[in-house]
Amino acid sequence: MDEEEMERREAATDEGTDTAIEADENKLKERKVSWAKLRRVDSLNLEAGRVSTAGGHTSQVDWRRTLNLAFQSIGVVYGDIGTSPLYVFSSTFTDHKIENTDDILGVLSLVIYTIVLVPLLKYVLIVLRANDNGDGGTFALYSLICRYARVSLIPNDQPEDRQLSNYKLDTPSNQLRRAQKIKEKLENSRTSKIVLFIVTILGTSMVIGDGVLTPCISVLSAVSGISSLGKDAIVGISVAILILLFSAQRFGTDKVGIAFAPVILLWFTFISGIGLYNLFKYNVGVLRAFNPKYAVDYFKRNGKKGWISLGGVVLCITGTEAMFADLGHFNILAIQISFSGIVFPALLAAYSGQAAYLTKFPGEVENTFYSSIPDPLYWPTFVVAVAAAIIASQAMISGAFAIISQSLSLGCFPRVKVVHTSAKYEGQVYIPEVNYLLMVACVIVCVGFKTTEKIGNAYGIAVVAVMVITTCMVTLIMLVIWKTSIWWIALFLVVFSSIEVVYLSSVLYKFKQGGFLPLAFSFVLMAVMGIWHYVHKERYMFELRNKVSSDYIKDLAANPHINRVPGIGLLYSELVQGIPPIFPHFIANVPSIHSVLVFVSIKNIPISKVALEERFLFRHVEPRDYRMFRCVVRYGYKDVIEGSKEFERQLVENLKEFIRHEGYISEARAVEQMAEPVNLQHSTILVKDGKAGRSGRSSTVHMEEVPQQNPPRVSSGSIQSIHVGGKSTNSSSRMVTGPIQGAEEEMQIVQTAKEKGVVYLLGEAEVVAEEKSSLFKQIVVNYAYSFLRKNCRQGEKVLEIPRTRLLRVGMTYEI
């Protein structure tokens, strides 16, 4: 029985092996056509083929972690909206008198439904879903739209980018013609691209403006609790706190972040407890304000005056945008739990309690919050209020830093020093130059305006403008990406745009009383960002039009007067397609080339993060034996550029992996040309570290086909993904166990060159306007851009290039 059973098992094993071999042979025969068409490997390295499964913040997490994130979000996200009860009623009743007690119910009703409709319904339930792999904010929305529709003003889109794991998206269905038509109109309309970009930088500028106004109004309103002090003394103390606050930024928010959540939670406990106390002590009848009829009657009774007072009511939702902008540190469910379970009921209790107090003491409206505090809790509440105001300021300052950091990576802001202050939270950054500019602006605003009422006039415009922009961009995302029913889209747009436009019209009415300030801030910031991005785009287009021909490289290889010196040369350029025009200038000035030359392009992808294993994209530059390569290094807008040593190590390792991988493909192609029988061994051509893979896991290799006569893209060929892998057997008559000899020699040359040293070649391009350009263009390019460029950080500092290994060559670009 045992012998018979063994025979049966052996027969089954042989049959299974034959079946597996036959199946793999069929698969390889199907790939014969693709392999035969290969001209060169144009790919991410082998590791990049392995698609990262690390998703954004939308992936499921356990409840313990979610509740922990919800607790942390209280300190980071809600400081601004949580401190609004300090000044809402005083900013609404600007003449500091209440003629009709029903007006209190009307304002309370407006506050209640504003909080319900905007933060709760719009942001918590809808806008949070429009995230970019877990990241929120205006730039995240813009990046999301740029990925679905090619609306970026810089034409550096490559087919390879869509192979990134965080980039993969469901393309609009052909059956839904509406989404496809809108996408095509966006891509074909230069006006649409410009408008979308302007709207994005406008929203960004408004958020940065919040970084100036939030500290002023929060700290000033908190310090005003010391009623015995005069106005000048309150302003002086507020300025001192602001200077200390900005001086402490260099230490990073994570150093004091542990205390944020408990303090803000304590603050919400105080305001909700005091609110409930006042509600039941003075007038529980104010809860009638949940009937929207009181809001309608308020407008009937007050008319234009009621409409103007909306500029104060809207301050109850300041900081709402922070829920979306700070989403990257948390997840959607954590934000939803913390707002719905803690913040929302605490705010309703606080405003209801203040309204109940005002029905008995309407003359105290100028300082409603502090007047309504019971005497035993006055000083504890004051201390917590000041701490909460500082935390609220900290959140908006950090948000301004993060937004500027994102805009830097997308070429929309002059180069400044970005310091990452936390190893735990990559989004926490500190920008020294911006920090001190914000501090000076805060001090000037605080001293110039003196009262929260005037600052509130300015603050309202910044708050509502960002909300209107978010509504418009989310509507576009609904149309193009979500492909929602047109009726739901219309409902979303009509309801929320109507609310926000009414509020915007009210705050704009107070333009002369301080409303001009955020618009002035935004105009300056938009001018800076617009000028920088325009010249950045024109400079890229100049390089694209004047890129070096392949004939020049071939002539260079045949030139006996060009010396090869040991080492690796890294020539930096923004061009991702072709050889930059700065290269011939290097050769003209220094007639020698390093033994290995790599044209490096730092490319920013419209996603938040690029996985490390997918960062490098290599190509060979013909002729191959000249050892010249093109390398595109891709970063997301939240990625950090490594130091020089780590960057060199990663680049060289990925280059060697590329050479090794190319060797396997060349070997496979040679076997195809020899017309040898296809066998199972070819399934192991994908290897790691020179060893044949034996796992059942498949990998993805991105390879370039021979360009057609009419290529659809600027990129030289299209990328296709071929999945290979599977279980290998011991049949190894022609097993590929390592790279071919030529590839191994080339890898050794690269390693030897690295040991000889790496030299950075950086082109210093002076950008000037053409002589025939208009006067306005000459002023923008020759003076405004030149001023910004001379007063910001140089490229080698941003890229952390060691000065001892840097070689510069200048060139003039006429755009």
Side-chain angles (χ1 to χ4, degrees), residues 333-353:
L333 189 57
I335 298 290
Q336 290 173 335
I337 290 172
S338 57
F339 184 83
S340 305
I342 296 174
V343 179
F344 181 63
L347 290 174
L348 291 186
Y351 288 117
S352 299

Side-chain angles (χ1 to χ4, degrees), residues 583-621:
F583 180 56
H585 283 258
F586 274 109
I587 301 301
N589 288 274
V590 185
S592 60
I593 303 176
H594 291 84
S595 56
V596 176
L597 183 64
V598 183
F599 298 97
V600 179
S601 174
I602 303 294
K603 180 180 180 182
N604 293 289
I605 305 290
I607 57 178
S608 57
K609 294 183 74 64
V610 175
L612 181 60
E613 63 269 18
E614 298 178 342
R615 181 155 294 164
F616 292 87
L617 175 67
F618 284 95
R619 288 180 182 173
H620 245 122
V621 176

Side-chain angles (χ1 to χ4, degrees), residues 518-634:
L519 296 179
F521 275 143
S522 298
F523 177 78
V524 173
L525 287 168
M526 285 181 67
V528 169
M529 297 171 78
I531 289 170
W532 189 268
H533 188 73
Y534 168 74
V535 179
H536 178 76
K537 175 185 74 78
E538 291 297 320
R539 176 177 170 173
Y540 185 90
M541 296 303 296
F542 178 89
E543 290 189 340
L544 192 61
R545 290 192 299 266
N546 295 278
K547 61 185 179 182
V548 177
S549 66
S550 57
D551 292 336
Y552 175 83
I553 302 297
K554 292 177 182 177
D555 294 340
L556 191 68
N559 190 341
H561 300 293
I562 302 299
N563 301 317
R564 301 303 294 263
V565 296
I568 296 179
L570 303 180
L571 193 154
Y572 278 84
S573 167
E574 294 179 358
L575 198 63
V576 298
Q577 300 157 346
I579 308 300
I582 200 78
F583 180 56
H585 283 258
F586 274 109
I587 301 301
N589 288 274
V590 185
S592 60
I593 303 176
H594 291 84
S595 56
V596 176
L597 183 64
V598 183
F599 298 97
V600 179
S601 174
I602 303 294
K603 180 180 180 182
N604 293 289
I605 305 290
I607 57 178
S608 57
K609 294 183 74 64
V610 175
L612 181 60
E613 63 269 18
E614 298 178 342
R615 181 155 294 164
F616 292 87
L617 175 67
F618 284 95
R619 288 180 182 173
H620 245 122
V621 176
E622 301 290 349
R624 294 198 174 201
D625 55 0
Y626 212 52
R627 291 185 297 281
M628 294 171 64
F629 303 89
R630 291 196 54 253
C631 173
V632 179
V633 190
R634 299 172 294 185

Side-chain angles (χ1 to χ4, degrees), residues 105-135:
L105 295 180
V107 170
L108 179 60
S109 184
L110 286 170
V111 168
I112 290 171
Y113 283 100
T114 300
I115 295 174
V116 168
L117 289 173
V118 180
L120 184 62
L121 184 58
K122 176 188 168 183
Y123 278 86
V124 171
L125 298 182
I126 300 174
V127 172
L128 289 182
R129 291 180 54 223
N131 61 82
D132 178 20
N133 291 312
D135 291 292

Side-chain angles (χ1 to χ4, degrees), residues 18 52 70 81 90 95 131 150 192 222 292 312 366 371 385 390 435 524 561 579 592 709 750 755 774 779 789:
D18 292 340
S52 172
I81 194 172
S90 61
D95 51 2
N131 61 82
R150 293 193 296 275
S192 299
E366 185 177 1
S371 299
I390 291 173
N435 181 62
V524 173
H561 300 293
I579 308 300
S592 60
Q709 291 181 353
V750 170
E755 293 169 358
S774 65
I779 292 173
R789 186 171 174 272

